[in-house]
Amino acid sequence: MTNVRDDGQRRHVFIRTYGCQMNVYDSDRMADVLRPLGYAIADAPDQADLVVLNTCHIREHASEKVYSELGRLRDVKLERRAMGRDLTIAVAGCVAQAEGEEIVRRQPAVDIVVGPQAYHRLPELLAEAARKADLRRAGKRLPGAGVLDTDFPAESKFDHLPAPQGVRAGSAFLSIQEGCDKFCTFCVVPYTRGAEYSRPAAAVLAEARQLVASGAVELTLLGQNVNAYHGEAPCSSAGEATWSLGRLIRALAEIEGVARLRYTTSHPRDMDDELIAAHRDVPPLMPYLHLPVQSGSDRILEAMNRRHGRDLFLRLVDRLRDARPDLALSSDFIVGFPGESDGDFDDTMRLVEQVGFASAFSFKYSRRPGTPGSAMPDQVPEAVKSARLSALQALLGGQARAFNASKVGTVVPVLFAEDGRRTGQIIGKTPWLQSVHVDGNRRLIGHVVDVRLTEGHANSLAGEIVVRGFEAAA
Ligand code: SAM
Ligand code: SF4
């Protein structure tokens, strides 16, 4: 395939990302794979020759959104064809993995379906899709419509991906672990992302150095179950066959230029001593931890196959706060899991009151086909789920507001990441991942600057830059 279109214009790709940070990382890597084929990034589907929907399957409405978007793209494709041009449509990510051929059956305009472990093969898939399109234009009848690759290949995609390009605003994601072997009974991840895999520590360190050389000062280590990390140790590390996440974090913190480290998403069961000690000993490791608990009821945690109870979680919180007293906690909650009684839900509310979260995500249980939870008796009625979610979100929202308010009046380092809505306004993140809006020069984007926090809101804070001299020099 040439890197220009028949009309001599450069090809463009538009990538729409749904779901979690792993998908944001994968979308960036897909752009890296497509760049050598001549694809520039488009800001909207109507400017693109190729549209990739990088999808999420975690809850039902997430995948339904994909099908509505595909309907709109089919219309764009038909308009294009009427003008003698084409639009290639690819579905990537977890819906692609879970639904495979069903996607092309429901929406025949789709050209490519590629799973999360196979997108390094996009160049071959695009060539195959182009060949099929040529044959169809020549009047040949072909058996299957789209080109499909939802294998879990024996080789790791990481060995085939080009080096990551373009760090946005000083912060970069770094995928270190993928897949999951935990099989929580509500979750599709073990089926869509496959078995747990940890990248070798040497590969992670090399990518980290490269990201820092391209301007990253903050690295967020990603994995569906990131603290299950057990990557092969570098050859220089005598006597250790594998490194845990805690060990890896210590090594990453030694890279010159790494000012901030974060990791997500963790499982309570995998918070080991070495990782807790890293929270105490490694200054760049930010005092913020996203630690999903899902429920405060032992009965429901067992039905969810979470492999931890309420007490283990509460003891863990105490140990983490002993190690790092300013640690802010965030979590995920599911309400209305099958069999959840008023008493079980009450246990969740009590746990939230006891722990105090700085932020949280909470969801109504969504039945995912193929997971054990979807076949359990005593599914909870929608109205009950909605009422429980409102009560939980009111409690969590109050805690988030109180946490933000507790920081007003303090001076904190903020990593600026983007322009604000107003001209002259920029937005950054505190060590506790709170958004802060200030009036400041956009040249500060990508830098860590001290900010005095002046106002706390439900989801953000306002502040003013303390070291004005830096702004002038930046
Ligand atoms: N690995 C993480 C953990 O152990 O909790 C979770 C990763 S999952 C991709 C993100 C969140 O989606 C989960 O923590 C859970 O709260 C939510 N989730 C997953 N499956 C769900 C379902 N079937 N219904 C509602 N929420 C769900
Ligand atoms: Fe899903 Fe997380 Fe449970 Fe794995 S540990 S099955 S990713 S919820």
Side-chain angles (χ1 to χ4, degrees):
M1 192 171 13
T2 63
N3 60 5
V4 287
R5 301 190 319 222
D6 294 345
D7 59 6
Q9 299 294 310
R10 191 161 184 201
R11 288 178 200 280
H12 281 79
V13 56
F14 175 74
I15 307 181
R16 192 184 293 287
T17 309
Y18 300 81
C20 64
Q21 285 135 327
M22 297 286 297
N23 270 13
V24 175
Y25 176 87
D26 285 343
S27 292
D28 285 349
R29 305 314 308 276
M30 280 189 245
D32 293 338
V33 169
L34 293 168
R35 209 167 279 117
L37 303 185
Y39 281 95
I41 300 294
D43 295 328
D46 52 1
Q47 296 153 12
D49 305 279
L50 166 65
V51 172
V52 181
L53 301 186
N54 191 12
T55 60
C56 170
H57 200 244
I58 203 82
R59 280 169 295 277
E60 189 178 5
H61 69 265
S63 45
E64 280 314 311
K65 268 200 238 161
V66 173
Y67 283 107
S68 341
E69 180 65 13
L70 285 174
R72 283 190 287 275
L73 289 173
R74 180 213 39 213
D75 296 344
V76 178
K77 187 172 183 131
L78 292 177
E79 280 166 28
R80 284 281 174 86
R81 282 200 180 148
M83 294 188 299
R85 274 183 53 208
D86 207 352
L87 172 69
T88 306
I89 303 174
V91 179
C94 292
V95 175
Q97 190 65 44
E99 303 201 359
E101 253 167 276
E102 172 68 8
I103 296 176
V104 187
R105 201 190 57 73
R106 271 183 74 173
Q107 184 45 269
V110 171
D111 300 282
I112 295 172
V113 176
V114 57
Q117 307 307 340
Y119 63 75
H120 57 293
R121 297 184 188 155
L122 264 173
E124 291 95 306
L125 299 174
L126 279 165
E128 176 64 8
R131 195 183 64 82
K132 277 192 160 184
D134 285 347
L135 288 173
R136 231 175 266 120
R137 267 194 294 271
K140 293 263 183 334
R141 290 174 70 84
L142 301 173
V147 181
L148 205 77
D149 191 344
T150 52
D151 284 352
F152 289 113
E155 87 271 18
S156 157
K157 72 179 174 218
F158 292 107
D159 296 337
H160 296 266
L161 289 171
Q165 307 279 312
V167 168
R168 281 191 224 106
S171 190
F173 290 136
L174 203 178
S175 179
I176 65 166
Q177 180 276 341
E178 283 212 74
C180 184
D181 294 339
K182 293 275 189 305
F183 290 92
C184 299
T185 52
F186 51 83
C187 185
V188 289
V189 167
Y191 312 96
T192 55
R193 290 271 175 169
E196 203 174 288
Y197 165 76
S198 295
R199 292 177 72 188
V204 174
L205 291 169
E207 189 167 325
R209 283 192 202 96
Q210 224 239 318
L211 291 166
V212 171
S214 331
V217 293
E218 174 178 83
L219 299 176
T220 301
L221 311 179
L222 296 181
Q224 264 88 25
N225 196 174
V226 72
N227 56 343
Y229 179 82
H230 58 284
E232 184 191 326
C235 339
S236 53
S237 163
E240 294 167 296
T242 57
W243 274 10
S244 69
L245 179 58
R247 178 72 188 84
L248 181 70
I249 284 172
R250 281 176 196 271
L252 287 165
E254 281 167 19
I255 297 176
E256 202 181 324
V258 171
R260 292 182 166 199
L261 285 169
R262 304 180 183 279
Y263 61 93
T264 196
T265 301
S266 302
H267 192 288
R269 190 85 235 180
D270 294 320
M271 289 303 302
D272 62 15
D273 294 349
E274 203 167 16
L275 188 51
I276 295 173
H279 278 281
R280 185 189 60 215
D281 302 335
V282 180
L285 185 56
M286 291 290 99
Y288 175 90
L289 176 62
H290 182 66
L291 191 61
V293 62
Q294 315 296 356
S295 167
S297 153
D298 279 336
R299 216 173 59 83
I300 294 300
L301 287 169
E302 194 176 343
M304 287 176 163
N305 189 32
R306 285 292 290 178
R307 305 163 192 224
H308 65 81
R310 177 194 176 89
D311 277 356
L312 184 142
F313 186 82
L314 293 173
R315 277 203 311 276
L316 201 51
V317 168
D318 287 345
R319 290 182 63 206
L320 283 158
R321 285 180 167 157
D322 283 347
R324 183 84 206 225
D326 64 342
L327 187 82
L329 283 165
S330 152
S331 199
D332 288 346
F333 297 87
I334 295 178
V335 299
F337 186 77
E340 185 188 70
S341 65
D342 286 345
D344 294 317
F345 176 63
D346 217 42
D347 288 344
T348 300
M349 296 290 274
R350 299 292 82 79
L351 179 131
V352 172
E353 281 164 1
Q354 200 170 332
V355 174
F357 291 95
S359 68
F361 298 95
S362 45
F363 313 100
K364 288 193 262 184
Y365 171 67
S366 167
R367 262 171 123 156
R368 306 313 290 128
T371 60
S374 69
M376 285 182 185
D378 301 327
Q379 297 285 329
V380 175
E382 265 320 291
V384 176
K385 287 187 202 170
S386 299
R388 288 181 187 163
L389 188 65
S390 302
L392 177 61
Q393 290 186 338
L395 179 59
L396 288 165
Q399 292 189 343
R401 269 191 301 279
F403 180 71
N404 287 347
S406 75
K407 300 290 179 198
V408 171
T410 62
V411 173
V412 302
V414 171
L415 171 58
F416 285 103
E418 58 185 331
D419 290 310
R421 277 216 205 113
R422 254 192 313 105
T423 318
Q425 189 186 51
I426 51 174
I427 306 178
K429 296 281 189 201
T430 69
W432 303 280
L433 216 57
Q434 299 149 292
S435 287
V436 180
H437 297 66
V438 305
D439 286 333
N441 192 318
R442 65 182 313 278
R443 281 178 300 171
L444 295 181
I445 290 176
H447 296 273
V448 179
V449 183
D450 277 347
V451 169
R452 176 172 294 103
L453 300 172
T454 53
E455 283 171 46
H457 306 286
N459 300 312
S460 66
L461 289 133
E464 50 197 28
I465 291 166
V466 173
V467 195
R468 288 273 167 194
F470 180 82
E471 189 180 7

